[in-house]
Amino acid sequence: DIQMTQSPSSLSASVGDGVTITCRASQNIANYLNWYQQKPGKAPKVLICGASSLQNGVPTRFSGSGSGTDFTLTISSLQPEDFATYFCQQTFTPSWTFGQGTKVEIK
Amino acid sequence: QVQLQESGPGLVKPSETLALTCSVSGGSIRSYYWGWIRQPPGKGLEWIGNIDSIGKSDYKSSLKSRVTISLDTSKNQFSLKLNSVTAADTAVYYCAKISDGGYRHYYMDVWGKGTKVTVSS
């Protein structure tokens, strides 16, 4: 199975800060990469599919980029509701995998 | 608006079979692909498997020998069965609807609320 490695595992930031989370695949996955946000006790919510396509209703402060093996999720200006855990997911192969998650906490 | 609801036992004994159902409302099970995901306590998401609208399934390699996902079109439901469970299978189990963003860029756009399953004697 393709391994997905996110960094950092956690970060602390303040409201208004810009934040970047990276996701690295163990092999080329083209742009078959999704990003999800999960808040405590809740199901995940998809933010971005195809590495860079923002889902309907997701604020434009979220953006995704990358292809091949290296991907980033950027939040341009953190808002209070953005403090959550973020997961990447590859769907390049029939056996999908998630990254281990990045927890974004309030500084 | 498709909505999903997981159901099944919250407690399963070691070596027995975990069986969960996902009930689909607001859409036909024949129109989409569907998936199961789990999350052990305090840990990340683990993809378990998917099933397409005609019943073809794919599974996580390490679970393939123990897992079956199937459709019940008469009830508009799909199900998960995981055999020979151990404590390591304790998790919140989610079902999800899969959409195609184009060129087979699949993503999970609707999730159930999740159901907690504990494996213990």
Side-chain angles (χ1 to χ4, degrees):
Chain A
D1 290 353
I2 296 176
Q3 304 302 313
M4 305 300 293
T5 304
Q6 289 181 232
S7 60
S9 295
S10 64
L11 64 90
S12 296
S14 301
V15 172
D17 285 351
V19 164
T20 297
I21 298 168
T22 65
C23 179
R24 176 164 287 176
S26 60
Q27 66 185 72
N28 187 347
I29 59 169
N31 64 342
Y32 289 81
L33 191 284
N34 303 322
W35 288 100
Y36 297 84
Q37 176 195 66
Q38 186 182 33
K39 296 182 179 179
K42 300 293 187 182
K45 170 189 171 184
V46 64
L47 301 175
I48 288 170
C49 77
S52 59
S53 296
L54 203 63
Q55 287 298 289
N56 289 340
V58 176
T60 56
R61 62 181 179 272
F62 290 93
S63 64
S65 65
S67 66
T69 60
D70 293 317
F71 303 86
T72 59
L73 173 70
T74 299
I75 310 172
S76 59
S77 176
L78 269 175
Q79 298 302 300
E81 59 269 29
D82 300 337
F83 291 94
T85 301
Y86 295 84
F87 295 92
C88 61
Q89 177 199 39
Q90 70 79 20
T91 62
F92 181 72
T93 60
S95 184
W96 296 0
T97 43
F98 287 95
Q100 82 278 14
T102 296
K103 187 174 184 179
V104 177
E105 298 176 298
I106 302 172
K107 183 183 285 185
Chain B
Q1 199 84 331
V2 172
Q3 293 184 307
L4 306 178
Q5 178 67 58
E6 305 91 349
S7 60
L11 181 65
V12 181
K13 290 183 167 54
S15 80
E16 294 189 345
T17 296
L18 180 159
L20 298 176
T21 296
C22 184
S23 298
V24 178
S25 58
S28 171
I29 199 165
R30 294 174 178 170
S31 299
Y32 301 100
Y33 291 9
W34 309 94
W36 286 98
I37 308 93
R38 68 182 182 180
Q39 187 167 36
K43 296 189 177 180
L45 302 171
E46 180 181 24
W47 176 80
I48 298 171
N50 295 337
I51 190 164
D52 69 14
S53 56
I54 58 171
K56 177 184 176 297
S57 54
D58 290 299
Y59 303 122
K60 181 180 174 74
S61 302
S62 61
L63 297 175
K64 199 168 187 175
S65 64
R66 298 196 290 133
V67 68
T68 303
I69 298 175
S70 58
L71 298 178
D72 186 339
T73 55
S74 66
K75 295 182 179 178
N76 218 39
Q77 297 173 338
F78 63 103
S79 65
L80 169 71
K81 289 188 178 179
L82 183 65
N83 301 327
S84 304
V85 297
T86 69
D89 296 309
T90 293
V92 174
Y93 285 76
Y94 295 99
C95 60
K97 168 180 161 286
I98 297 166
S99 286
D100 184 353
Y103 299 100
R104 300 194 178 188
H105 281 95
Y106 297 113
Y107 59 97
M108 295 171 151
D109 62 338
V110 179
W111 294 63
K113 293 183 178 180
T115 187
K116 184 177 179 181
V117 178
T118 301
V119 178
S120 174
S121 56

